[in-house]
Amino acid sequence: VEGSLVRKHEWESTTKKATNRSWDKVFLVLRGNTLYCYKDRKSYQAAPEVYFRAEIPIDVSGGQASVADDYTKKKHVLRMRLIGGSEYLYQAKDDEELAFWVGALQIA
Ligand code: I3P
């Protein structure tokens, strides 16, 4: 599972807001339980070991993915809550892509 989404890191942990909460367009690759984040598809293809901002890939197992109905500033947004309380928002291009990612992240 892979594709481009726009991402915002909201929470570092349950009690700590993420330091950088701006939206970034990223290229995501979900393999098994692991979510890898790249600058774009080109960068992924050229160097799959080089992640966006050198971020450590995320383990999404045991986490919760759902449509972020309460987030009203942007459309087609999902929320991913990880074990430990870290939380991300991901914006898809439409509802179909949104449903696709929510489904993929739920079963991961
Ligand atoms: C953030 C940026 C985000 C905004 C966030 C800001 O500023 O404007 O778009 O989130 O608000 O901190 P910067 O780009 O300077 O880091 P929203 O789009 O959700 O409002 P926040 O501090 O309320 O998370």
Side-chain angles (χ1 to χ4, degrees):
V1 177
E2 55 187 56
S4 292
L5 293 175
V6 188
R7 182 194 74 174
K8 179 187 180 187
H9 191 188
E10 283 229 289
W11 294 91
E12 201 85 48
S13 65
T14 10
T15 50
K16 191 176 179 291
K17 282 255 181 189
T19 319
N20 178 357
R21 295 191 300 280
S22 41
W23 289 91
D24 293 296
K25 188 169 185 204
V26 293
F27 184 76
L28 295 176
V29 176
L30 178 63
R31 192 164 291 136
N33 302 322
T34 309
L35 187 60
Y36 302 85
C37 188
Y38 298 93
K39 183 174 174 287
D40 51 27
R41 181 185 292 275
K42 221 187 230 178
S43 135
Y44 163 58
Q45 285 167 344
E49 70 287 356
V50 178
Y51 308 118
F52 180 69
R53 292 186 185 147
E55 290 177 5
I56 295 161
I58 289 171
D59 181 2
V60 296
S61 54
Q64 270 185 300
S66 58
V67 174
D69 290 316
D70 58 323
Y71 187 82
T72 51
K73 292 180 189 175
K74 288 179 189 287
K75 286 179 171 180
H76 325 302
V77 174
L78 73 85
R79 175 175 285 114
M80 182 77 220
R81 285 203 176 98
L82 302 173
I83 295 274
S86 177
E87 204 172 296
Y88 291 86
L89 297 176
Y90 296 103
Q91 183 187 32
K93 66 174 191 303
D94 55 28
D95 280 340
E96 190 187 346
E97 190 182 62
L98 180 67
F100 170 79
W101 275 101
V102 170
L105 290 165
Q106 274 174 351
I107 59 168

